[in-house]
């Protein structure tokens, strides 16, 4: 796939020698009061696991086939995926062919969830979706999330296809992140009910699960990450269920719906914008998936710097409307041309 020539590309960040305060948007308002429509599930029956790894429920089909792994709770406050896996386990969904593993990655973080302060339970010690590099997993350093990743690693290393279940803090169009592997994109095309897939290279802050070498270009398996919608919404749970069933349905003998929207549009991330100051703010509250028609449009300020779109029809992927210094503020992506 290609995203076309870059001959119209414009500077992304324009550093200004002196501030123009009259051009800056007003300071951000307090964080919104999040609408909480769902509650964390009771995972007590599954926490011990059934295969020697706590929090992993593993089942074998009678016929040979690939090992499919669905992972929830990489982030403790994103429990829509855990609700879906819990429902499937209680309905005794089993594979007829191949192997199926349903994973609750960080249930300890979920136990910290407080509806009065819902964003605080993302992790116990550190972001679990930044610890999957082999060098870090082999290192002597210890944390709750890193130790937990080491326990889960044998399951990850035997996966043939993996779906990592997430949701989004800020409003946006649901999407599937594929990494840069062509296998990841092909896997994303099997996910029904999601109209957008985005290829990217991950985070500078650390290696995501889908970027582990098992799933990279040099690996032999495929993985993608589902961003099913906004945290704590019933629609996000239903969308996650559709996505999971579209992946595990064939091996479990379940019917697959075909009336779940238009074929996926594919985009590729060209730029990752990191906040250099605590004064990063957008010119307006952009949704993820918003397309800015004209290159050079100012979409944010980082202190005195202008953040501009680098080309026409630039898609904003998962803008973080309140990034701290050093956090990813937004990704720029352009449509892929087959």
């Amino acid at each position: 796939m290609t995203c076309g020539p870059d001959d119209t590309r414009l500077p992304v960040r324009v550093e200004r020698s002196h501030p123009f305060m009259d051009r800056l948007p007003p300071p951000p308002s307090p964080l919104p009061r999040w609408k909480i429509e769902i509650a964390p599930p009771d995972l007590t029956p599954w926490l011990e696991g059934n295969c020697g790894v706590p929090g992993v429920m593993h089942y074998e089909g009678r016929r040979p086939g690939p090992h499919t792994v669905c992972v929830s709770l990489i982030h403790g406050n994103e429990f829509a995926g855990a609700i879906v896996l819990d429902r499937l386990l209680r309905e005794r969904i089993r594979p007829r062919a191949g192997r199926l593993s349903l994973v609750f990655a960080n249930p300890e973080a979920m136990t910290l969830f407080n509806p009065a302060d819902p964003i605080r339970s993302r992790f116990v010690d550190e972001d679990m979706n930044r610890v999957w590099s082999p060098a870090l997993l082999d290192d002597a350093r210890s944390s709750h999330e890193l130790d937990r990743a080491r326990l889960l690693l044998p399951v990850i290393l035997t996966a043939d296809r993996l779906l990592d279940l997430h949701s989004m803090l800020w409003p946006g169009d649901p999407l599937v992140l594929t990494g840069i592997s062509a296998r990841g994109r092909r896997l994303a095309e099997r996910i029904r009910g999601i109209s957008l897939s985005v290829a990217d290279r991950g985070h500078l802050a650390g290696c995501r699960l889908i970027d582990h070498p098992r799933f990279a270009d040099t690996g032999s398996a495929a993985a993608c990450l589902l961003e099913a919608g906004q945290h704590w919404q019933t629609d996000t749970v239903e969308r996650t269920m559709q996505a999971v069933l579209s992946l595990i349905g064939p091996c479990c003998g379940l019917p697959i719906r075909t009336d779940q929207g238009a074929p996926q549009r594919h985009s590729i991330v060209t730029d990752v914008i990191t906040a250099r100051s605590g004064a990063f703010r957008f010119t307006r509250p952009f949704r993820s998936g918003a397309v800015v028609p004209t290159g050079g449009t100012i979409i944010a300020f980082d202190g005195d710097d202008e953040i501009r779109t680098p080309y026409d029809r630039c898609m904003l992927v998962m803008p973080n409307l309140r990034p701290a210094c050093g956090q990813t503020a937004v990704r720029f992506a352009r449509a892929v041309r087959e």
Side-chain angles (χ1 to χ4, degrees):
M1 63 183 181
T2 177
C3 53
D6 253 349
D7 53 346
T8 59
R9 194 167 169 77
L10 299 166
V12 171
R13 182 184 292 267
V14 178
E15 298 183 0
R16 299 183 296 178
S17 58
H18 55 88
F20 294 94
M21 298 304 296
D22 58 322
R23 299 178 62 190
L24 296 177
S29 58
L31 285 171
R33 185 180 297 274
W34 309 107
K35 186 177 181 181
I36 311 294
E37 297 180 350
I38 58 176
D42 177 12
L43 302 181
T44 304
W46 328 119
L47 293 180
E48 186 177 344
N50 69 349
C51 60
V53 182
V56 178
M57 302 300 293
H58 179 79
Y59 302 98
E60 301 272 348
R62 294 186 177 183
R63 301 193 306 272
H67 183 193
T68 301
V69 179
C70 295
V71 180
S72 67
L73 291 182
I74 286 286
H75 296 134
N77 62 338
E78 300 178 25
F79 46 80
I83 292 174
V84 167
L85 300 191
D86 175 61
R87 288 179 183 174
L88 294 174
L89 287 165
R90 293 179 188 274
E91 293 173 9
R92 299 184 62 81
I93 299 298
R94 301 289 187 267
R96 297 181 179 181
R99 296 177 289 166
L100 175 65
S101 296
L102 304 181
V103 178
F104 302 99
N106 198 355
E108 292 82 3
M110 189 186 71
T111 64
L112 304 176
F113 181 76
N114 179 356
D117 192 7
I119 63 176
R120 296 288 185 181
S121 57
R122 185 175 172 87
F123 51 77
V124 176
D125 293 325
E126 62 178 316
D127 191 331
M128 196 175 182
N129 218 22
R130 305 291 184 270
V131 302
W132 292 95
S133 71
L136 188 54
L137 292 168
D138 290 340
D139 192 74
R141 184 170 74 80
S142 179
S143 73
H144 172 78
E145 279 74 18
L146 189 49
D147 294 342
R148 183 74 179 133
R150 292 171 179 137
L151 281 177
L152 297 175
L153 190 59
V155 180
I156 304 307
L157 292 177
T158 59
D160 296 305
R161 53 195 187 193
L162 180 143
L163 180 60
D164 189 10
L165 305 173
H166 289 255
S167 52
M168 298 182 284
L169 178 62
W170 302 100
D173 300 336
L175 57 88
V176 181
L177 293 172
T178 68
I180 59 173
S181 166
R183 291 186 307 279
R185 181 184 165 194
R186 289 194 295 270
L187 179 63
E189 290 173 344
R190 302 181 59 171
I191 306 302
R192 302 297 179 90
I194 306 296
S195 61
L196 175 65
S197 72
V198 177
D200 72 341
R201 295 182 176 273
H203 289 273
L204 293 176
C207 184
R208 300 174 301 187
L209 174 55
I210 67 168
D211 299 319
H212 185 278
R214 172 80 179 170
F215 311 113
D217 278 336
T218 56
S220 58
C224 55
L225 186 158
L226 173 68
E227 295 283 3
Q230 201 168 5
H231 299 337
W232 317 308
Q233 305 297 301
T234 54
D235 286 350
T236 300
V237 176
E238 297 310 311
R239 202 174 290 113
T240 302
M241 179 65 81
Q242 292 176 12
V244 171
L245 289 178
S246 68
L247 183 62
I248 73 171
C251 74
C252 296
L254 301 173
I256 304 300
R257 289 178 56 184
T258 58
D259 58 339
Q260 295 179 329
Q264 282 182 358
R265 298 170 290 123
H266 303 290
S267 294
I268 187 167
V269 169
T270 60
D271 301 90
V272 178
I273 308 304
T274 301
R276 294 181 181 176
S277 73
F280 192 105
R281 52 195 186 273
F282 289 89
T283 57
R284 60 185 177 89
F286 291 100
R287 286 176 55 91
S288 181
V291 175
V292 180
T294 306
T297 300
I298 299 175
I299 58 99
F301 293 89
D302 191 357
D304 292 336
D305 295 352
E306 299 170 346
I307 308 300
R308 296 175 176 265
T309 54
Y311 38 77
D312 293 345
R313 296 199 54 76
C314 178
M315 177 183 289
L316 308 186
V317 178
M318 297 182 66
N320 179 355
L321 301 184
R322 300 292 176 79
C325 183
Q327 289 185 339
T328 298
V330 67
R331 304 170 181 88
F332 292 150
R334 66 193 312 168
V336 167
R337 208 169 52 211
E338 299 294 342

